[in-house]
Amino acid sequence: AQRVMEQIEQEPGFQDKKMFGGIGFLFNGNMACGIIKEELIVRVGPLKYEATLKEPHTRIFDFTGRPMKGWVVVSQEGFESDKALRCWLQKGIDFARSLPPK
């Protein structure tokens, strides 16, 4: 969570919030990504969902017993480098910013 904060806390519209038993990161009131335990969850949206699931170190986000379409879980191996982390964060930020502010 600290690594995420360091990369995105200066972004306009940023807010963090405890949720899902972890921490969520929002932009203009829309959830973009989060940390649950040691994994990153990223909101990529319905259009990029299937393609994103084909990327290494990703899987379906199934927090409640029902898959959350438009969301993926990225294991630690998928965001070990700061560059990889930034890439994943940007996907979530871009989707959150595509939505109307809340």
Side-chain angles (χ1 to χ4, degrees):
Q2 183 60 39
R3 286 181 60 217
V4 172
M5 293 286 286
E6 289 170 2
Q7 289 209 23
I8 64 175
E9 65 186 348
Q10 300 302 317
E11 294 273 345
F14 171 78
Q15 176 187 9
D16 62 330
K17 188 176 191 179
K18 290 188 184 227
M19 53 180 38
F20 300 125
I23 186 167
F25 303 102
L26 297 84
F27 289 86
N28 301 321
N30 294 298
M31 181 95 167
C33 54
I35 295 287
I36 298 178
K37 297 182 183 175
E38 302 297 322
E39 295 180 306
L40 180 67
I41 57 169
V42 182
R43 187 177 186 189
V44 296
L47 297 178
K48 295 183 180 180
Y49 178 66
E50 294 295 331
T52 303
L53 279 174
K54 294 177 183 173
E55 294 190 36
H57 311 292
T58 62
R59 70 174 192 279
I60 294 170
F61 180 37
D62 186 2
F63 182 70
T64 63
R66 284 184 33 209
M68 293 181 67
K69 291 221 174 193
W71 288 85
V72 297
V73 176
V74 183
S75 64
Q76 282 185 297
E77 297 83 10
F79 61 96
E80 285 180 325
S81 73
D82 286 343
K83 182 178 179 182
L85 176 60
R86 183 63 202 191
C87 181
W88 282 112
L89 296 176
Q90 196 61 55
K91 290 175 193 243
I93 293 167
D94 290 346
F95 183 74
R97 286 189 172 152
S98 75
L99 301 170
K102 288 186 176 180

